[in-house]
Amino acid sequence: MKSSPSPWWKTGVIYQIYPRSFYDSNDDGIGDIKGITLKLDYLSWLGIDALWLSPVNVSPMYDFGYDISDYYDIDQCYGSFDDFTELVDKAHAHGIKIIMDLVINHTSHLHKWFVESRSSKDNRRRAWYIWHPGKNGKAPNNWRSAFGGSAWEFDSHTGEYYLHSFLKEQPDLNWRNSEMRKSIFKMMRHWLDMGVDGFRLDVVNWFVKDDRLRSNPFTIKPLDPEKHKYDRNRPEVHDYIRELRSVVDEYDARMTVGEVFTLPPGNPELSASFLGNGTDELHLAFDFSIMYRFWSARSFYKCIKKWSAAIPEKGWQCNMLSNHDQPRSRSRFLGGTDSEKRARVAAVFLLTIKGTPFLYYGEELGMKNTRLARSEIVDPLGRRYWPVYRGRDCSRTPMLWSAKQHAGFTHARPWLPVDSSYKTLNVRAQTGDRYSMLNLYRNLIHLRKKHRSLGEGEFIPEVHGFKNVLAYFRVHGDEKFFIVLNFSGKEKHINAGNTGQWRVMLSTHRTRYEHFTSLKITLAPYEATVIKWMGKL
Ligand code: NOJ
Ligand code: CA
């Protein structure tokens, strides 16, 4: 019996674009929507199935779009509503889906809802945000903003404080208010009606706060001295996620992926809890554990083992190595002159383990963190914490398209400098080089899409990361793959004790179609090889 086709968000590869930095179509130094449309040929050549765009809605840009002042329109620096419609239509024509970033834990302080809310205590939108009188002339409780300082801002106009989990220009919405929720759902339908295929939900685990606004207990964690008992991960949040899911389910083939935001080192059980029973909350959830792991086969293995174990039976896992809030994966893996080799092993890992892969723009080239001077930093976090923490700009610099000026991203001065590696590390140079990182990613994506076992098959570990080697089978029906990853800079031997006819389908070191009659293999340093079972001997 042929099983029914799986939904695209399970089988596909999703590519995250930070629109400001992808491609600038009108030479003002800022990437834009037309720029993305112009690069659809590249994206479809690469083979990705969907794009997740970091926010493109109207925003005063205190947090570069994660502070939305109009959910219904597109910020003019990225283009117009028509440009966005064109992108959706053309992307669809290329077989590429569009996922929008839905920033609904908070709005901008300039959003009309907040402007009304702060205007008077009896305004009809007062309770759409979280207002409270102070306590003895101080903030209502001890909650701290993730971006530093108290999470409460005093508003002299009405003499009360409002809550902001991030900047004071990002007041938190009150999810307990049903009118507010209705407006959010209405806005979601607006984008779903025009054909948007899904949403990435910003900080989904922070939506609901304690109804009594109790102070958090303290801990001794240096980065974050609070235990977030009362301001995050409140159980009621799941009721609202179910409501939100039912809105998305009014439409065919749409999806949601939630950012479950925790401080290092991630939390698989918590992240998976946002999948509900696997069908009634989010379709996918990001867990950050893998992004905080040191480079080691054992550590990567333990991480995905825990993450898969947490996924509910009817749920589905997703994986990523980077995003716009983290240092670029290649830089995180360290390794000095071996960093590119490590990034290749990681690419094969990401594209052959179980779960929907998310790529971050430029990762397919092996882009590294850009070193920026204090004067070049624009991220509010970097500006606040420099030099202890330099913020997130290092992984948000322009995509490297060519060896031309500004890496072919723009003819103007780019909003962030281009990385100095662009002369050699760019799309143009790598497209023509069959051994480039870009072609490795492209081959991996195509191989994964061609073989169901790589996308949806069972994951059966064989070498569990000991001695810095990871090896596993992926099996679906009678299709079987064996993947070996040498995380170390030394030669390694493995013996998976399996005879038969095996053929190399992709490798960082071997030629394609090399044959094996057993899985007794000597691996080169940092070798990553994908082998297909061709039948019995
Ligand atoms: C998480 C987003 O990924 C990050 O970029 C943003 O600053 C915060 N949420 C606030 O929206
Ligand atoms: Ca532009």
Side-chain angles (χ1 to χ4, degrees):
M1 199 183 78
K2 218 171 149 57
S3 47
S4 59
S6 297
W8 62 269
W9 48 268
K10 279 191 179 174
T11 56
V13 176
I14 303 178
Y15 185 95
Q16 181 190 355
I17 286 183
Y18 196 70
R20 250 186 137 68
S21 287
F22 199 58
Y23 186 61
D24 177 16
S25 73
N26 63 348
D27 288 331
D28 62 357
I30 297 176
D32 43 56
I33 288 170
K34 265 194 189 320
I36 302 172
T37 307
L38 286 169
K39 294 296 183 184
L40 283 170
D41 284 339
Y42 166 73
L43 295 163
S44 97
W45 171 83
L46 183 60
I48 55 101
D49 297 270
L51 296 175
W52 149 30
L53 311 183
S54 277
V56 289
N57 300 107
V58 184
S59 164
M61 303 288 167
Y62 284 84
D63 191 17
F64 293 98
Y66 283 92
D67 50 324
I68 295 176
S69 54
D70 183 356
Y71 288 109
Y72 283 88
D73 209 347
I74 301 296
D75 196 275
Q76 53 163 6
C77 79
Y78 298 130
S80 63
F81 191 79
D82 289 345
D83 293 341
F84 187 78
T85 315
E86 183 192 20
L87 170 63
V88 173
D89 293 346
K90 292 204 168 150
H92 286 170
H94 278 81
I96 294 175
K97 313 264 187 201
I98 299 287
I99 299 170
M100 286 184 95
D101 216 312
L102 203 55
V103 188
I104 51 181
N105 173 72
H106 45 269
T107 66
S108 158
H109 67 309
L110 301 181
H111 194 290
K112 62 178 186 217
W113 296 343
F114 187 70
V115 173
E116 279 191 39
S117 183
R118 90 190 307 180
S119 68
S120 75
K121 284 188 192 171
D122 51 19
N123 184 276
R124 68 190 173 118
R125 297 222 164 91
R126 184 65 167 184
W128 285 31
Y129 293 82
I130 301 171
W131 290 95
H132 208 268
K135 257 192 197 156
N136 313 320
K138 285 203 199 123
N141 66 27
N142 71 355
W143 298 353
R144 290 170 54 84
S145 149
F147 287 175
S150 168
W152 295 96
E153 179 71 10
F154 184 68
D155 194 46
S156 57
H157 182 64
T158 51
E160 286 189 339
Y161 288 80
Y162 66 86
L163 182 74
H164 59 91
S165 298
F166 296 92
L167 299 174
K168 67 179 191 324
E169 292 82 8
Q170 294 168 296
D172 282 44
L173 285 163
N174 177 12
W175 271 80
R176 295 178 186 274
N177 185 292
S178 62
E179 289 298 309
M180 188 290 286
R181 293 201 302 281
K182 255 194 237 158
S183 294
I184 292 286
F185 298 152
K186 183 171 161 216
M187 174 273 286
M188 288 170 62
R189 289 193 185 95
H190 162 80
W191 294 106
L192 292 165
D193 283 336
M194 72 160 290
V196 164
D197 302 283
F199 297 111
R200 175 263 188 190
L201 303 184
D202 193 61
V203 286
V204 68
N205 56 323
W206 297 23
F207 286 8
V208 182
K209 282 75 183 180
D210 181 41
D211 53 353
R212 289 161 52 202
L213 300 178
R214 281 169 281 191
S215 274
N216 280 326
F218 282 101
T219 65
I220 46 164
K221 275 210 265 173
L223 271 179
D224 186 21
E226 266 173 87
K227 194 165 187 285
H228 292 283
K229 188 166 176 193
Y230 295 118
D231 59 342
R232 302 179 190 170
N233 312 315
R234 299 304 299 162
E236 303 94 311
V237 69
H238 297 280
D239 301 335
Y240 304 137
I241 303 292
R242 278 192 292 273
E243 270 185 34
L244 184 148
R245 169 68 179 250
S246 66
V247 172
V248 175
D249 281 349
E250 291 165 13
Y251 298 78
D252 268 350
R254 314 299 167 97
M255 64 83 84
T256 51
V257 52
E259 178 203 30
V260 182
F261 199 82
T262 55
L263 279 164
N267 185 338
E269 288 79 23
L270 176 72
S271 303
S273 73
F274 284 84
L275 304 177
N277 69 12
T279 60
D280 62 347
E281 294 192 37
L282 303 179
H283 300 75
L284 299 172
F286 292 128
D287 179 65
F288 289 140
S289 308
I290 194 81
M291 297 219 256
Y292 302 125
R293 293 283 170 156
F294 289 115
W295 181 257
S296 126
R298 183 78 185 137
S299 160
F300 274 44
Y301 172 69
K302 285 213 292 212
C303 180
I304 52 163
K305 188 177 166 203
K306 227 173 143 193
W307 179 214
S308 330
I311 304 287
E313 201 177 313
K314 291 190 179 143
W316 189 250
Q317 139 178 14
C318 67
N319 305 297
M320 75 305 195
L321 300 172
S322 335
N323 67 22
H324 64 292
D325 292 327
Q326 306 293 334
R328 285 198 172 265
S329 58
R330 172 159 172 196
S331 299
R332 276 195 344 260
F333 297 149
L334 304 173
T337 50
D338 284 345
S339 78
E340 192 194 329
K341 295 180 185 154
R342 290 185 175 189
R344 285 173 189 256
V345 174
V348 180
F349 170 80
L350 179 68
L351 273 302
T352 59
I353 56 172
K354 191 167 176 175
T356 305
F358 280 73
L359 311 181
Y360 182 54
Y361 83 97
E363 197 161 48
E364 75 275 28
L365 304 173
M367 270 178 78
K368 293 174 275 192
N369 285 345
T370 302
R371 265 195 91 81
L372 298 166
R374 170 68 181 86
S375 59
E376 292 167 324
I377 297 289
V378 292
D379 175 20
L381 268 181
R383 296 176 73 95
R384 177 164 183 146
Y385 290 112
W386 177 278
V388 179
Y389 175 54
R390 292 160 178 238
R392 301 166 291 181
D393 294 328
C394 62
S395 57
R396 296 176 174 179
T397 57
M399 178 71 171
L400 306 176
W401 292 105
S402 72
K404 291 196 194 135
Q405 202 193 15
H406 307 311
F409 162 73
T410 181
H411 290 106
R413 189 162 169 263
W415 76 287
L416 279 177
V418 298
D419 192 74
S420 59
S421 62
Y422 77 99
K423 284 259 155 71
T424 49
L425 199 157
N426 62 61
V427 171
R428 185 92 211 262
Q430 292 200 17
T431 308
D433 170 5
R434 44 192 289 235
Y435 301 111
S436 64
M437 182 80 76
L438 178 57
N439 274 309
L440 173 69
Y441 264 100
R442 178 169 187 260
N443 293 336
L444 278 164
I445 295 170
H446 286 268
L447 191 69
R448 182 178 173 103
K449 284 170 64 171
K450 206 161 147 202
H451 299 281
R452 221 165 154 181
S453 58
L454 290 175
E456 301 165 69
E458 273 317 294
F459 174 89
I460 306 170
E462 171 69 28
V463 182
H464 301 207
F466 294 110
K467 299 196 178 139
N468 232 349
V469 173
L470 186 58
Y472 43 89
F473 293 96
R474 296 298 309 278
V475 183
H476 186 268
D478 46 20
E479 187 182 274
K480 180 149 68 171
F481 274 84
F482 184 61
I483 294 99
V484 270
L485 306 172
N486 182 358
F487 278 64
S488 88
K490 297 197 183 106
E491 196 177 274
K492 298 276 164 158
H493 307 279
I494 62 155
N495 185 355
N498 206 309
T499 56
Q501 297 185 60
W502 295 89
R503 180 196 266 183
V504 172
M505 300 303 283
L506 180 149
S507 174
T508 51
H509 287 72
R510 293 170 197 276
T511 40
R512 224 168 136 199
Y513 301 143
E514 182 182 338
H515 275 272
F516 296 107
T517 51
S518 83
L519 293 180
K520 198 171 162 195
I521 309 173
T522 299
L523 299 169
Y526 295 117
E527 172 173 346
T529 294
V530 183
I531 306 168
K532 186 170 187 270
W533 191 65
M534 306 301 293
K536 294 205 178 92
L537 266 184

